[in-house]
Amino acid sequence: ALDPKTLTVLVTGATSGIGAATVRRFASEGSKVVAVGRREDRLAALAAEFPGLIHPLVLDVRDFAATEAAFAALPEGFNSYNVVCANAGLALGLEPAQDAKIEDWQTMIDTNVSGLAYTVRAALPGMVARKEGHIVFTGSVAGDYPYPGGNVYGATKAFVKQFALNVWADVAGTGVRVTNIEPGLTETEFSVVRFRGDDAKAGKVYEGTAPMTGEDIAEQVYFAATLPRHVVVLRIQAMANQQSFSPFSIKR
Ligand code: NDP
Ligand code: 8X3
């Protein structure tokens, strides 16, 4: 396996959930981490946990010009990142398509599709030039399996899945690797965001079951990113032990 101390990991969506756990997983092994998110106070608190190892980067991934400029301006010691976790994303609402708010759809597309593509486009040339890198996407089981109310959210994650494979088609042989991590039920701030701060409603999603945690997913990211360089895991899909599929529904 790769020595984690040789890794510089850029993580988008580092202020919470899977991204924050990923930052901690790598930093606790001595990797350097560029931690990206919009909430500055969260990034500062995270950086204080691992003095000298974390570079906080306040950034909205929906802004390509800002993303490209910020990555190009990273300081010595953090500018030769060789793992990029394109993780920032969100679901908004669970209404059927005919009732969903168009603003919510726009925000999900802007973040999960455009923002993710911007992150890759801004980070990729440097890694290809350095002949060493790894893009680890956070997709979702929602990119494979439909569910009522999943409409645009699931479609953005289907984009992530195909985009990951298409990026791999381009970078195979350059020294850059690609992995799409596709989690199922994971308790983070995901549902609080989806239900606009309604903690009780968010809590019900995980009630009476044992969801995965951000740490569980970070472990999968860490596994894929520390494999020897001749190994590429293209996809990892994981569900909570008590999660499965629904049968087809027949309307009568
Ligand atoms: P959280 O809400 O806990 O974390 C989401 C992160 O994304 C936050 O750090 C947030 O930071 C960041 N983010 C959102 N919008 C932007 C933006 N415009 N610019 C920069 N950062 C942004 O949820 P999760 O940890 O669960 O979500 C992480 C990823 O995992 C998402 O892509 C999600 O779709 C995916 N996922 C989650 C699953 C789950 O069940 N929890 C299952 C499968 C996939 P800030 O607000 O500070 O900018
Ligand atoms: C998040 C998982 O099943 O809530 O991507 O859509 S799910």
Side-chain angles (χ1 to χ4, degrees):
L2 298 185
D3 177 358
K5 292 190 179 61
T6 65
L7 299 179
T8 301
V9 187
L10 186 153
V11 181
T12 69
T15 59
S16 169
I18 294 168
T22 300
V23 172
R24 292 190 176 101
R25 183 67 185 91
F26 282 97
S28 64
E29 300 293 340
S31 306
K32 285 189 218 162
V33 184
V34 179
V36 179
R38 292 169 300 178
R39 284 169 290 180
E40 192 169 7
D41 54 332
R42 299 260 192 128
L43 293 178
L46 200 52
E49 288 179 35
F50 303 94
L53 284 181
I54 296 184
H55 178 77
L57 179 57
V58 179
L59 181 66
D60 187 327
V61 297
R62 294 172 294 179
D63 183 339
F64 178 64
T67 300
E68 199 174 38
F71 289 4
L74 284 169
E76 190 70 32
F78 291 94
N79 54 6
S80 293
Y81 45 82
N82 47 13
V83 182
V84 171
C85 300
N87 165 77
L90 77 173
L92 289 171
L94 197 58
E95 293 81 17
Q98 58 272 28
D99 299 329
K101 290 192 180 60
I102 195 66
E103 298 79 15
D104 287 348
W105 280 10
Q106 193 64 57
T107 304
M108 288 189 278
I109 293 166
D110 289 347
T111 310
N112 305 1
V113 176
S114 299
L116 177 121
Y118 297 162
T119 298
V120 171
R121 187 61 185 83
L124 201 49
M127 290 195 291
V128 170
R130 292 190 290 276
K131 299 186 171 58
E132 186 182 282
H134 194 159
I135 297 180
V136 184
F137 292 94
T138 309
S140 170
V141 294
D144 262 0
Y145 310 105
Y147 62 86
N151 42 70
V152 161
Y153 176 71
T156 66
K157 293 301 181 179
F159 171 89
V160 176
K161 178 178 65 177
Q162 200 64 13
F163 184 53
L165 293 176
N166 276 337
V167 171
W168 174 239
D170 290 342
V171 301
T174 65
V176 177
R177 304 190 283 189
V178 171
T179 303
N180 189 28
I181 307 280
E182 305 169 5
L185 193 72
T186 307
E187 188 164 10
T188 60
E189 292 177 20
F190 178 83
S191 293
V192 176
V193 172
R194 171 171 251 175
F195 299 124
R196 299 183 181 75
D198 186 336
D199 289 321
K201 200 168 171 184
K204 284 221 176 322
V205 173
Y206 310 105
E207 210 173 81
T209 188
M212 295 187 289
T213 62
E215 288 71 26
D216 293 327
I217 311 307
E219 197 58 40
Q220 297 162 33
V221 176
Y222 185 82
F223 164 75
T226 53
L227 283 168
R229 291 216 177 272
H230 66 283
V231 183
V232 183
V233 174
L234 288 175
R235 296 174 68 183
I236 296 178
Q237 190 171 84
M239 286 192 182
N241 202 325
Q242 290 159 288
Q243 181 178 23
S244 186
F245 319 102
S246 295
F248 285 117
S249 99
I250 315 290
K251 315 287 185 195
R252 301 184 195 279

